[in-house]
Structure formats: structure tokens, C-alpha cells
Amino acid sequence: MTQAPQPADPATPDLSEGWGEQRSRLRKDLRRRDVLFFLICTLVGLDTIGSVAAQGPQGLSWMAVLALVFFLPYGLLVAELGSAFPVQGGPYVWTRLAFGRFTAGLNQVLYWISNPVWVGGSLCIIALTTWEQFFTPLPGLWKYVAGLAFIWIGAFAVVQSVRVGKWVPIAGAVARIVLLGFFLISVVVYAIEHGVHALPTGQFAPTYVGFVGLVPVLIFNYVGFELPSSAAEEMKNPRRDIPLSILRSGLASLVLYGGPILGILFVLPAKEIGGLGGFIDACKAVFTVYGGHVAADGTITLTGAGSVLGGIAAAGLIIGLLTSGITWAMGAHRAQAVACADGAGPAWFGRISERYGTPVRVNILSAVLASILLVVALNLTQGNGEKYFAAGLGLAISTTFISYVITFPSLVVLRRKYPRTPRPYQVPGGMAGVWTVTILATGLVAFTVVVLVWPGFGVGWFGTGGSAAASLPPSFAGQRLQYTLSQVLPLALFLVIGLVFYACGAPARRRSAERAGAGSGERAPDTQAEDLVPGL
């Protein structure tokens, strides 16, 4: 019996005629060094250092555990997908090849929209808080002005060509290395002069209550490996550079993230560490060694060189926050533009600028959404920074992680569907290894979504200790319904936006189907693997 020939595996999926028209406007200006700094800027998040430190020493324990059971499997998973399918749009393309355009389109909207939620939410509020702590108060209208300036400066940077824009993550990575390195040096000086808080061994013991509180922020700081793949066709050699950059940036991020958390714990009592101001307060405390003092009530005053260095560090922190948002936007926006050009969204947003080689229209739309969120959130929370921070960060994480629940299983499906695709890097262990990393990565992000929507999930069950209510963010104490609605209602709205986007992509899908029908007289592009491969 003669076996029917199998379609060749896709190396560079063409997706649709709409994206094919835009591909020629991309510019290959990203080298391995650029990808490495891009990932360091992505992975080392300055907005959640305080949230992890607020859980005490067990935060470091859980950080080590999750590095093994999530960070490593996730890195292996993305290294294979990114090197096997080095196509512009990265996560969207992987999901599209695995599960089809409709699923990938809805999934991509969640992945993309989490960026304006994050920028207009937690990043913006930490930047504003840092400014007020180190420079000057922002009363009334000035808080809105400063927040909008933060958002639109970032939008301007994201719009720039990759040759110019790549210097933003480089600057962000350097700012992180300098800021966090100087902070650790200052901790040592502070310890010599004032001593440090003892960290009893028992406090490092991991607990389930601590896990539920920490898993969202820890895993959120461990994600971002897939972002450079969204700009794969702007890299010189993505098949080689993506796996190597993932390895190097992963090791660097563990050091850059873990060191400051330990420093905060040495300087501040755990009960005084807040999720929003933990890192800021620790910086102010250690910088008193250069000039200043800590009053009996805990009020910190910087003077002389301490005040100058504190201001420099504050500027570095704000730059770090801004570049985090920019770097994520550079990846997420590109993937959304590919989705729109492919017929999973309005074709108008899938246009790549001839002048800049970037998806300017998606960039501007994201900045508008972030601005709306900023204004709405500041009004709904009556200026309560901690409440704004908790709701914004939780929503950004859950939105991103829901998309991961769909994207990560693409590894298993694509190994089966396209076994002959060249894979410069493969997850070790054959299909058993593939299933292992997929189950670990997908399972943990799915669990994270549950505990974000319902903090304290599982706490106090089966006679165990602890109270689920205590797992609510302190700013939402006793307000579980209000917190849950702050997560669920926006998520429902985002899904509706995804459906609207997909409906708006109908004309592009019809054109693509007509083109395929004219060529073969058979099935539409979504049902033929061959149609995803140019030149077959």
C-alpha cells in the first residue's frame, strides 16, 4: 500500500496574503547582543521586587523552587519553538500552526492587551510613587499629567525603527545592572555601619500560604522568553541567537532578581515591606549611609550625598520601569500586528510603517488604552496607590497567563504535526521531555490564574491552617467581591474585544480563502498545512 506524501514542514509560514504584503517592510537589525539585553530588560522586573520581599525569606525559597519547576521548563519550551519556527509574530504563529487562526486570534488579543494594562496600571503607579518619594508630590491634576507623560514617552520609543528602538532595552538592561548592583553594594556598607536584620533559618521554610501569595509575581518575573521571537524576522540569525540568549539571560536574571530581594530583607523588617514601596523604601534606608537618617517612627530622610544618590537611583528605577513596558510592547505589539494582517483582527492595525518598519497603529492604540486605564483607575481607587497597584498587577498577570495556557501546549502539537522541521535546539528527552516541560509550564500558569482571580485558593482546606481571606491584597482586605470583579469583568471585556477583532478580520480571511481556492479549488488556508508554507 502506497502511503500518501506528507506535506513539508513549515520553516517560514506565510500565514496570509495580508501579512506577506507587510513582511518586506521589516528590517534585520537585531544581533545576538541586542536579543540578550532585550531579554534581561524583559525578565528583570523592578515592579514586583517589593511584592516578593513582602512575603519574607520564604520568597527566596519559592524563587529557587520555581526556577527549577517553571523557569527551566519554560525556557526549554520557548527555545525549541523559537528556533524551529523563527517567524515574525512568534507566539501567535506557534498557536496558529497548532490550533488554527480563531483560537490564535483570541489568544493573541489577551497577550497583547495585557501590555497596556500593565503599563497604565502597576508600572505607572510605581513610577509616580517613586517620583513623589524622591522628588516632589504630584497633587491633583499633576498625577494625571505625569502618568500620561510616562505612557506616551514609552509609546514614542516603541514606534521607532528597530535600529533606534533596540537601544531602549539595552539602556534598560544597563540601568538594571547599575541600579541593582549599586543597591547591593550599599546594603553591604549599611550592614557594616548598622548591622542587618537576622533571618532565622525557619523563616525560609516554604508554606502553601506563601506559595499562593508568591506564585503570581514570581512566575510573572520569570516570563518573557518568547518576546524576541515576535521580532524573529528582524534578527540576523534567530535560529542560533534565540536559544543562546535564553540561556544567558535566564542565568543573569536569577542573580539580578534574587540579590535585591535578599538585600531588602536584610534592611527592612518583613512587616514593614509593602508590595508597592518595598524596593523604594529599602533604597532610601540604605542610602542613609551616604547622608541622612531613619527616625524612631521609621521615617527616612536623605541629606547631602544620600539625597543626590537617592535621586539618581530613583531616576534609574523609573527608567527601568519605562523600559520594561517598552520592551514587552515591542514584542507583543508586533505579534498583534501579524495577527491582524493574517485576518485575526482588523487589517488596518496589521500595517507595518514603511518609514519605521514597526506596527505604529497598534502602538498608538495600546498607548490610548493605557491612558484610558490610568484615568479610570485613578478615579475608581480615589488615588489609593496600593489598591490601584494590586488590581492592575493582578489583571496584567492573569491576562498574560491565560494566553500562555493556550500557547505552551503548541510545543506538543507542533512536534507531532511537523516532525521534520529543522530544530537547531530540541527539548531533551524526546516526547517524554516535551510533555514534561509542557505540563509543568502550562499547569503552573493555569494555577496562577486561579489564585489571582480567587486569592487564597486552597488555603484552609482539609483542616489545614491559614485563612483564604488573608491572601487578599492588603488594600482589598475584606473586599473579596470588589477584588474579584476588578479581575473578572476586565477579562470578560478583553474576550469580547478579541471576538470583535476576529469579526473585523473577515474581509482579509475571505481574500485569503479566495486566493487559495483559485489556486487549488479545495480547502481554505486554515485546513491545509501546505498553505502555511511559502513556495510549496
Side-chain angles (χ1 to χ4, degrees):
M1 179 177 176
T2 303
Q3 186 176 7
Q6 294 182 353
D9 289 341
T12 53
D14 194 26
L15 298 180
S16 77
E17 183 179 36
W19 173 242
E21 294 172 357
Q22 306 303 316
R23 179 174 274 141
S24 62
R25 299 175 181 176
L26 302 176
R27 303 166 188 177
K28 288 186 175 290
D29 287 317
L30 290 175
R31 302 179 183 274
R32 185 185 302 176
R33 177 205 62 183
D34 305 321
V35 178
L36 174 61
F37 281 118
F38 189 100
L39 280 172
I40 290 176
C41 191
T42 299
L43 294 171
V44 184
L46 300 177
D47 55 324
T48 54
I49 288 178
S51 297
V52 177
Q55 296 292 330
Q58 70 167 310
L60 291 172
S61 301
W62 280 119
M63 180 180 172
V65 171
L66 289 173
L68 292 176
V69 300
F70 176 78
F71 198 37
L72 178 60
Y74 164 59
L76 297 176
L77 183 152
V78 175
E80 174 169 326
L81 288 173
S83 60
F85 304 95
V87 187
Q88 193 80 0
Y92 169 75
V93 175
W94 307 335
T95 312
R96 162 83 150 84
L97 289 170
F99 304 115
R101 183 188 279 130
F102 177 74
T103 299
L106 291 184
N107 195 55
Q108 176 55 42
V109 166
L110 292 177
Y111 185 73
W112 155 68
I113 210 167
S114 66
N115 181 256
V117 170
W118 187 41
V119 172
S122 61
L123 289 187
C124 201
I125 193 61
I126 292 181
L128 296 178
T129 301
T130 302
W131 181 275
E132 291 187 314
Q133 291 244 8
F134 283 90
F135 299 111
T136 181
L138 296 168
L141 183 62
W142 285 107
K143 184 164 290 188
Y144 292 88
V145 172
L148 292 173
F150 180 87
I151 291 169
W152 286 94
I153 289 172
F156 176 77
V158 176
V159 162
Q160 302 305 307
S161 67
V162 68
R163 179 173 295 179
V164 176
K166 70 181 182 180
W167 289 101
V168 174
I170 291 175
V174 171
R176 283 162 172 74
I177 294 169
V178 172
L179 172 62
L180 298 177
F182 183 67
F183 172 72
L184 290 177
I185 292 172
S186 301
V187 168
V188 173
V189 176
Y190 183 90
I192 293 173
E193 290 193 9
H194 303 287
V196 295
H197 293 282
L199 300 177
T201 305
Q203 294 185 10
F204 286 89
T207 65
Y208 180 75
V209 173
F211 176 70
V212 170
L214 282 166
V215 66
V217 290
L218 279 177
I219 293 185
F220 188 56
N221 277 284
Y222 279 158
V223 297
F225 279 143
E226 74 285 347
L227 283 168
S229 294
S230 296
E233 293 178 42
E234 296 170 78
M235 296 181 193
K236 298 289 186 181
N237 192 338
R239 290 187 182 274
R240 178 197 63 188
D241 295 344
I242 288 174
L244 285 173
S245 298
I246 286 175
L247 172 64
R248 294 171 180 175
S249 63
L251 294 174
S253 66
L254 289 175
V255 175
L256 290 171
Y257 193 60
I261 293 172
L262 185 60
I264 293 174
L265 294 173
F266 276 137
V267 173
L268 297 177
K271 63 181 181 180
E272 295 182 9
I273 302 173
L276 172 57
F279 184 58
I280 301 170
D281 293 338
C283 284
K284 292 183 72 173
V286 298
F287 289 161
T288 57
V289 299
Y290 308 114
H293 64 275
V294 181
D297 62 356
T299 302
I300 303 171
T301 302
L302 295 176
T303 59
S307 180
V308 173
L309 291 172
I312 294 173
L317 176 57
I318 293 172
I319 291 172
L321 296 169
L322 180 62
T323 53
S324 284
I326 291 171
T327 306
W328 272 85
M330 291 172 71
H333 295 183
R334 281 166 164 78
Q336 184 60 45
V338 173
C340 289
D342 183 45
W348 193 81
F349 287 118
R351 301 280 295 179
I352 301 298
S353 167
E354 293 186 18
R355 177 180 178 183
Y356 297 107
T358 60
V360 173
R361 294 172 180 178
V362 175
N363 297 339
I364 298 302
L365 174 62
S366 295
V368 171
L369 292 176
S371 300
I372 293 172
L373 175 67
L374 169 71
V375 174
V376 171
L378 283 176
N379 280 280
L380 289 178
T381 59
Q382 287 83 46
N384 185 329
E386 284 283 357
K387 179 171 285 190
Y388 180 12
F389 173 77
L393 182 61
L395 183 59
I397 297 174
S398 59
T399 306
T400 305
F401 284 11
I402 290 173
S403 74
Y404 284 152
V405 171
I406 305 299
T407 300
F408 288 171
S410 298
L411 176 67
V412 174
V413 176
L414 295 180
R415 268 285 191 104
R416 176 180 56 81
K417 289 180 70 173
Y418 306 114
R420 290 178 294 150
T421 293
R423 287 171 167 82
Y425 171 81
Q426 290 191 48
V427 173
M431 285 305 296
V434 168
W435 274 104
T436 299
V437 300
T438 301
I439 289 172
L440 285 172
T442 307
L444 281 166
V445 293
F447 179 79
T448 299
V449 173
V450 173
V451 298
L452 278 169
V453 175
W454 192 265
F457 175 81
V459 175
W461 291 13
F462 309 111
T464 58
S467 168
S471 296
L472 283 166
S475 54
F476 281 92
Q479 300 177 351
R480 180 174 290 278
L481 177 61
Q482 185 178 350
Y483 174 80
T484 301
L485 290 177
S486 76
Q487 306 299 299
V488 174
L489 292 181
L491 285 172
L493 175 62
F494 299 160
L495 287 174
V496 171
I497 292 174
L499 291 171
V500 171
F501 264 48
Y502 192 79
C504 291
R509 295 196 299 276
R510 280 197 300 270
R511 287 194 298 270
S512 184
E514 290 168 0
R515 179 173 64 90
S520 66
E522 297 179 357
R523 294 170 294 173
D526 267 350
T527 61
Q528 298 186 85
E530 298 95 322
D531 289 319
L532 300 180
V533 189
L536 289 183

